Every structure is written in structure tokens, then in C-alpha cells.
Amino acid sequence: MKHKLIYADNAATTKLSALALEAMLPYLKEEFGNASQPYISSRSSKRALKESRIIIANCIGALPDEIFFTSCGTESDNWAIYGALIQQLPIVTSSIEHHAILRPCEYAANRGNKVTLLPVSSTGLVDMKILSRNLQEDCGLVSIMFANNEIGTIQSINDLANETHKKGWIFHSDAVQAVGHIPIDVHKLGVDLLSASAHKFNGPKGIGFLYIKKGLKWPSLILGGSQEKGHRAGTENIAAIVGMATALQENVDSIDHNSRHLKMLETRLLEGLRLLDVYYHRNGDNNHLFGNISLSFPFQTGEALLHRMDLLGISISTGAACNSETTQISHVLNAIGLDKTLANGTIRISLGKENTLEDVDIIISTIKKILSK
Ligand code: PLP
């Protein structure tokens, strides 16, 4: 391996921002006070908690009181589904959601909740008419992800939320892949609940949030102390919350610049492969997360490609990070109806803002080298 290690799995996780780390350090060292306590030693933590909530709310067009800190995107998603389960609301979701939604939905279904999985188009889009037809009851929860982690497809969240509201239902979006990468204004979008996770936008791991629209009463998932106004118990991880707020602000401030950079890298990668006569099928919709590139190579195995790329110093994925221990075709590729010979040979390259043209050129020549053998 002559080049430096190339990390191209940013949909799985991202590098912690240097600014975020710097902002976190005081709360891991001297400012360790419990934000719930009334004394002077806790003032700094309490202030940091308040300021971080304001920063995060501003970044997504929410009110500070609408942000509830959680331990990760999975917890935020579980909370959204759990709320519907406890209220015995029917749930309508899509067949390409992350397992953080699908597993709790299975749990809800096993407990007698009505759960409907909507099909998607060959590019991964939910059809508005199909959604509408499935909103039969007076009220329920619709949960549709903002951007898919495996193929990058971005849904028309605003239209889907409007349709959901027309039927009197509540709308949740798993925006774990979107927050910090696509401009988001929750009030304009009209979502009632929205999940996010810091480590997908250069924040620390183990921290996320759930946006809950003001006025919506949503049952708590984690019970205990009175943190988060009694809605999510547990002593707050102030350092992680500060890191999340700093990383989100940094990413939101450079969202246009980052998008342009990723689009340029993505175009280079696809054109580079084409110029070298490497045949591939690109998965996902035209409206997709820039840098999230799902490629299928006929009669190959994604697993073997991943390991050979790894041996040559490039970290990519075969699909969802959570699927890395199984060699089954992912539920997302099944749901878009991808032919088996293509699905088996699928890899996901997810470029991040730190990737360079040089990285992309090495990825192109490495793929060519592996496929030529
Ligand atoms: N939802 C989506 C779309 C994701 O991509 C992920 C992580 O890959 C999650 C939820 C889970 O987030 P976390 O890793 O913070 O639990």
C-alpha cells in the first residue's frame, strides 16, 4: 500500500471535527458538574446544555424546547416508534428504512399494532398515492426516512408530510443521514418528529436528538430522572452535546461548499470509471445525497470487493454498516427490485468533505485493477 489509508465510508460514520473536540474538552475535564444540580460547579454544564440546544434548534429551524437529546440515532428512531406503539397507533413506514426503524416496527407488530411497510420505486422513492391509500384510520404514525443510508435517495419529505397531515396522521422522519448535509427547516417541512445522530455529521458518537414538534405529546421511552423536562431521563452527556452542537453548526455553515465538493468528487468517480470502461449500475435516485454512491458490478460479490479494496488501503462498505456481518442481499436492494446478479456485487462508497480528488483517482484505479483480475 503506497498511498495513505483512504476512508470512504462516511455514511457509516464520520471523523470528529477538530472544533467539536476542542469545544468538548473542558466538559471532559474541569467542567464536569451535573447539569441538574443547583450549585456553582454545575453552572457551566447547565449553560452549555442550554446554548447547545439553541444552536441545534437554529440549525434545523426548530425551537429550543423542541429538541430532546438522546444517546444516538437508533434511540431517537426507537422513541418515535415506541410512542406509536404505546398509544396503539397504526404505523406506516417504508420497506427501505434503517433497522433502527424496522426492528421496533416488528416489535410493535408482534404486540398487535398494525404496521404497514410501503413498497418503493426502483430508485427508492415512496409513492404519494400508495402512502395516501394506506392511511385508513383516523390517526397513526407515518415514518419515512429523509435520505437512505445505502443508496442515498432523498424523499420528498414536505409532500409526504402534507399528505400525512391531510389524513390527520403524525409524521416522523429518520433524518440521520440528512442532518448537517442537506438544509433542513423542520417547521417549513412540516414534520412532527425528526431523528438525528451526531456521528454522521462529524460530531461525537453516542449522542443524537429527537425533534418533537411543540404541542405534540409523545410518550417517553426512557424513564427515571427529570432531565429533558421529564421526557428523556438520564444525566446529560454535556461534552457530547456540546460536540454535537459545534459540529452541526460547522457543517450547516459550510453546507453549500461541502455539497459542491462532494458533487464534484462523485462526478469524477463515475466519469473516471466510465473512461476506464468499467461497467457499473448506479443505485438510487437522481435526487440523492451527494457522495453516497451505491455501485453494482455484475457477477461480482460486494463482500470480496470490500475486502480487496481494504487490502489495498481503501475503506468502503457493501451497504448498511449494520449488515457487515451478514452476506445476505440488503433489504434495501431487495426493495428496489435490483437483479440478483447486480445486487450481489454491490458496494457503497460514501465520500465525505475530507476526501480529495486524489482519493477519488486512487479509488477509480483500484476498482479497475480489482475488476480486471
Ligand atoms: N438511521 C439511519 C438512516 C442510519 O444511517 C443510521 C446509522 O447508520 C441510524 C439510523 C442509526 O444511528 P446511530 O448509529 O446513531 O444509532
Side-chain angles (χ1 to χ4, degrees), residues 11-12 72-75 77 98 100 145 147 149 174 176-177 197 199-200:
C72 58
T74 300
E75 184 190 324
D77 283 349
H98 191 273
M145 72 200 315
N149 47 306
D174 170 353
V176 165
Q177 292 288 338
S197 174
H199 75 102
K200 306 290 186 178

Side-chain angles (χ1 to χ4, degrees), residues 273-299:
L273 289 176
R274 231 175 284 136
L275 284 174
L276 291 181
D277 288 328
V278 175
Y279 176 81
Y280 60 82
H281 172 85
R282 165 93 192 261
N283 302 303
D285 198 70
N286 282 339
N287 187 18
H288 67 272
L289 281 173
F290 292 131
N292 183 314
I293 309 163
S294 170
L295 299 177
S296 299
F297 302 98
F299 308 107

Side-chain angles (χ1 to χ4, degrees), residues 128-148:
M128 195 78 66
K129 288 198 193 94
I130 300 180
L131 170 70
S132 191
R133 272 206 301 276
N134 279 281
L135 307 182
Q136 297 295 339
E137 294 79 0
D138 291 342
C139 186
L141 177 75
V142 171
S143 181
I144 305 288
M145 72 200 315
F146 206 116
N148 184 269

